[in-house]
Amino acid sequence: MNIKTQVDPIPGPVSGVQATCYSRFGFAGAQVALIGCPRDQLREVLKEAVAAAPGLPQSDIGGPWALDADINRGSYLFNFGGLSEETVDDWIKLARDLGFNQIDFHGGRSFRFGDCRPNPQTYPQGYASLKAVIDRLHAAGIAAGLHIYSFFMAKDCPWVTPVPDPRLAKDATFTLADHLAADGEKVTVLESTKDMSAITGFFVRNSVTLQIDDELITYSGISKDPPYAFTGCKRGVNGTRASAHDSGAKVHHLKECFGLFVPDGDSTLLTEVAAKTAEAFNECGFDMIYMDALDGQDILGGWENGWHYGSKFVYQVCRRLKKPAVMEMSTFHHHLWVVRSRMGAWDHPRRSHKRFIDIHCKSNEGLRHMFLPGHLGWWAVMTWSGAQGEPTFSDDIEYLCGKCLGNDIGFSIMGIDPNKIKTIPVYQRLARIMKQYEDLRHANYFDESVKAKLREPGKEYTLFQDADGRWRFRRMQYVKHKVEGINDWSNIWSVNNSFDSQPVRLRIEALLSTGPYHAAGNVTLADFADAQDFADRASAPGVKVQLQSSSEKLKAGKLSGVFTASNSGKTNRQGAWAKAGKTFNPVLDLGQHQALGVWIHGDGQGEVLNFQLTCPSHIVAGISEHYVIVDFTGWRYFELIEPEGERYTHYSWPYGSPYAIYREGINYGQVQNLSLWYNNLPANKKVTCYLSPIKALPLVNTKLKNPALTIGGKTIVFPVELETGSYLEFYSPSDCKLYGPKGELIADVKPQGEVPVLAGGANNVTFTCDGPTDINPRAKVTVICQGDPI
C-alpha cells in the first residue's frame, strides 16, 4: 500500500496512525482512507507513510500512544478528590484489587476547573505534591488522567476574582440607565430585557450574573416592561467588590453552563486556559486527558459554530503537550479524530443495566471503522436507592465485563474509593469479578471464537474454572418478572428455560408498595372532567387518537377517560404511537406521592399504554415511563412505581435518549407533564381503554413474609422477612442467602419444601407470600437458568 503524504501542519504530538492519516488525507477523509485495514496489520501498512509524515518522530508508530497501544484499552478508576500522598498506597491497592491500570483525577475537588490549580488541602505543594502522587502511581504501573471541564472555569479562578477578566464570555450588553449605588438591589437598563431569563440549571446555557466594570452582580428577577431592570440583585459576588456605577456604564451578561463561566472564544483567554491545562499535564506527569464538557462548545459560538471553538481549544492544548496523551472528549466531530485515542465513555445507567450495555455496545460498533478503541464506562455499582434505580448484581457485572472482554476494550468505575469499598459489602464481591475478567482480558486468555460469543447482544454467560483449572464460560439466562400483588395475574407467569431440565435458581427482590387508591390525601392528576386538559395531541403517520370523558364504564370517580386510537397500517405496529398530554401550571409537588394508581378497562388487543411523567427540561431531562400491556379485558388495577427501561427499545417512540430513559430520573417535587401514550397498535383496528381518575399515591416500605415459589407442583418456601430494598438469592439448598440494601449478608437461609425443577421450555411459575394484607406486596423475581459450557 503506497500512501503519498502531502505537507500539512500536525497539531501536536499525536500518534503515528493519526498523524499519518491527518497529513495525507486531512481531517474529513482520515478514517475513510484505511477502512478495512486489520488492526494487527496496521503498523506494517503504515510504515512507509509514517516515514514521510511531516513533523512526526519516526519511532512514534511503535510508541506507547499509537492507536493500537494497550494503554488505550485500559480501565480506570475515578478519583474525585481523595487521592493524596497519604492515601496513594490505598488507591494502588484498590486499583490492583479491581484489575485496573489507570486512575482518572476528576477536577472540581482534585484541582480547580479552568486554571487546574491543585487543591491546596490535598496537594499542599501544588504541582509538586500532585506529581509525587503520580510518580507513585507510575512506579506501580498505573497511568494517571487529567479530567478537565475543557475551557470552562470555576468562579473562584483568578480570571473571575477578585477582578473579573474583561475577556470573560458575554452574550448580551446593556446600558445602565440610572446611577447604581454600591448597595443597590435593582439594575435598571435602557435596552429591552425581553430575551433575558432567570432560569438556570446544570445543562442550561444561561447565567444570572452581570458584570459592571470590576464588579459581578447576580439577579433573581427581571422586569421585562419599561423601565427594564434586573431585580433581586446581590452585589459583589464571587469575591468582587461592590461599588457604585454611573449611568451609561456597560452592563454585561456573562455566559455560563455546568455552573461555570467561559472565556470569549475569540480572545486570548481561551488560549490561556488551554495553556494552563497543558502546564498541569506536563508539570505533573499525567498520561491521559479527558476533555469533559466539550459538548458545551456551543456556548462559545452557537450550535452552528461550536465545533470551531471546541477544536480550537483542543488544538491549543495539544500544541503545548510535551508528550502524547491518551486523549478523550465528551463530543466528537471529524476535526477531533486526529488527536483522539479512544471513545465511548458514557455516564452510567441507573436501571435496566444490561439493556443499556447493549445500546452502548451497538453505538461503539462504528468506532473500529475509525481505528478508535471503544470504552464501556463510566460505570457505577448501584445499591438500593428507591424506585428510580436498580441495584447492580453479579450478573450485571459479568455482562459488562464479558462485553469488554469480547470487544477487547476497557471500562471505568466511579463511586468506588478505598473507604467505600470497605463499607459497602456488594462492592467487595463485585470487585473480585471485575479483577478476574480484567486479568483474563489483558492476558488475551480466550480465543476469537469465545470472544465472538461474548459480543452477542442479549447472550449471557458466567465465568468458572473447570476441574483442570481452565477458565471457561457457561451459558446463562436471567428471566425477570415483576409481581404487582397476590392478585392471580401478576403473581402467575410463564418462564421459558432455553436449556435442559434443572433445579430452579432464583433471586427475589422486595420492592416498594403504595398506599390505598381511595386514601385521603392522594393527589388526583386527572379526573377527566374536561378531556381538553390533555390538549397536547400527536400521533404517528396513519394513527388517529381521541380522549374523551365518559360515564359509560365507571370503576372509581364520577367519570372515566375513554382513550381510543386506530392504526391504518401506514406505520408498523411497534412504531404506531399516539399521545394525549397534560401540562401542570404551576408544576406539581409530588414529593410525598411518587406512585401512580389507576384502574384500566382493557380490550385485550395487546396495545401498550404508557403513563409518562416529566419535569421542566432545565430541572432534569429524565423521562419516567410506566407501561401497561393491555392483554386483558375488563377492569384491572395498576400501581405504577418503577420507571420503565427494559422494554423501551421494543417500540419506536418519537422521543427519548439512552440518558433520558436509563440514567436520569425525575424530580417529583417539580412535575410538569402527565402524558398518556399508546403504542403497538394493531393494524386496521381501533383500540379502546377506559381509565379511572389517575392518582398520585405515597410510597410504602413493606415486608414479604415467607416468600414461596411453585413450579411443576413443587413449592419451595423461604422462611424469612424480606424488607423493601433487600433480596434473597437461592442457588441450592446449601447456598441460599439473604442480603440487605447495601448487599450486606444478613443471614444464610434454609429453604423449606422441595426444590422445583425447571423443565426445558415453558414453565408456569406462581409466587406467594404471607402479608401484608392492607397493601399489595410487590417483588421482582429473577429465575436463573444454566446452560452448558462453551
Side-chain angles (χ1 to χ4, degrees), residues 119-261:
N119 185 330
Q121 279 71 47
T122 309
Y123 308 106
Q125 303 302 315
Y127 284 159
S129 296
L130 185 49
K131 184 179 186 301
V133 171
I134 293 174
D135 286 346
R136 298 266 291 278
L137 295 180
H138 287 164
I142 298 171
L146 179 68
H147 193 123
I148 62 172
Y149 260 33
S150 295
F151 43 76
F152 290 89
M153 62 183 70
K155 296 179 179 179
D156 61 345
C157 273
W159 295 305
V160 176
T161 184
V163 178
D165 195 295
R167 298 169 297 173
L168 291 174
K170 308 162 183 73
D171 57 14
T173 299
F174 303 87
T175 305
L176 191 61
D178 303 311
H179 176 79
L180 179 64
D183 59 352
E185 298 180 356
K186 184 177 182 180
V187 177
T188 306
V189 296
L190 296 177
E191 295 82 6
S192 172
T193 56
K194 67 181 181 65
D195 295 328
M196 306 308 293
S197 172
I199 294 176
T200 59
F202 188 74
F203 295 104
V204 178
R205 274 67 166 167
N206 186 49
S207 81
V208 290
T209 304
L210 305 174
Q211 180 179 351
I212 308 178
D213 300 324
D214 292 337
E215 181 186 359
L216 296 182
I217 302 168
T218 60
Y219 60 88
S220 59
I222 304 169
S223 296
K224 296 195 175 185
D225 295 316
Y228 304 113
F230 297 92
T231 60
C233 293
K234 293 183 179 180
R235 304 296 301 277
V237 300
N238 303 126
T240 62
R241 182 171 175 267
S243 57
H245 304 282
D246 294 331
S247 62
K250 295 302 178 183
V251 180
H252 304 289
H253 182 260
L254 297 188
K255 293 183 179 182
E256 178 182 325
C257 187
F258 310 123
L260 305 168
F261 291 145

Side-chain angles (χ1 to χ4, degrees), residues 487-527:
N487 48 27
D488 294 332
W489 57 270
S490 75
N491 68 316
I492 302 172
W493 71 101
S494 180
V495 169
N496 187 67
N497 171 22
S498 300
F499 311 121
D500 293 336
S501 175
Q502 58 189 277
V504 71
R505 302 170 180 83
L506 58 89
R507 178 187 301 125
I508 301 173
E509 303 170 58
L511 302 178
L512 286 159
S513 295
T514 77
Y517 177 83
H518 291 290
N522 292 340
V523 180
T524 300
L525 303 182
D527 60 10

